[in-house]
Amino acid sequence: MPITFNVISRKNPMSPNDPPKFYADIVGNGQTTLDDLAKYASTISTVSKADILAVLESTFSKIADDVADGKIVYVGEYFTLQAGGSSIGKETEAEVNASCITTLKTIFRPGKLIKDAMKLAEVKKK
């Protein structure tokens, strides 16, 4: 199944009098759940869906805990996750403390297998 996109127009906020330009906007098309992953894995292996779900749940729970502990989590050649964020700037180093952090987020970096899959992905207009 190809990646689909819609066409949208956007004005340049720096030049509001210029005509808008048109851009491709990637659109999500369906979803894959943990249950879907477990069903698929059980069809291509001798392990039951229930066993696969138990392994996936415990693995992803550990990944979440480790990212929240500030660790960089490498998931083979699939992806890397780590914590990131933004903070308020201060005049001196001594003024910087945890309350200066305004947002925390998860940084996702695709690994080789996902990058290679994206290189081969088909794209079409919706």
Side-chain angles (χ1 to χ4, degrees):
M1 177 180 272
I3 295 171
T4 58
F5 67 92
N6 289 327
V7 178
I8 60 169
S9 66
R10 288 192 179 137
K11 284 190 160 263
N12 181 348
M14 301 298 283
S15 304
N17 294 328
D18 289 354
K21 291 190 177 182
F22 295 89
Y23 299 89
D25 183 41
I26 302 294
V27 181
N29 189 12
Q31 63 182 3
T32 299
T33 65
L34 197 60
D35 193 56
D36 296 330
L37 295 173
K39 280 181 190 173
Y40 172 76
S42 70
T43 64
I44 62 167
S45 71
T46 59
V47 182
S48 74
K49 178 185 157 199
D51 290 339
I52 291 168
L53 272 173
V55 170
L56 289 174
E57 288 284 352
S58 63
T59 300
F60 288 127
S61 177
K62 175 68 171 149
I63 289 171
D65 289 346
D66 286 355
V67 170
D69 285 342
K71 294 179 182 176
I72 300 171
V73 179
Y74 296 92
V75 183
E77 290 191 42
Y78 299 99
F79 59 88
T80 302
L81 293 171
Q82 77 180 80
S86 302
S87 69
I88 299 168
K90 295 293 183 177
E91 297 296 321
T92 66
E93 185 178 337
E95 291 178 281
V96 178
N97 58 39
S99 67
C100 296
I101 299 171
T102 56
T103 59
L104 287 175
K105 63 181 181 177
T106 305
I107 300 169
F108 170 85
R109 289 188 190 87
K112 182 177 177 7
L113 292 173
I114 292 176
K115 286 179 183 178
D116 289 349
M118 293 303 291
K119 287 177 189 173
L120 299 174
E122 179 187 343
V123 180
K124 77 172 194 175
K125 194 173 187 178
K126 191 168 183 180

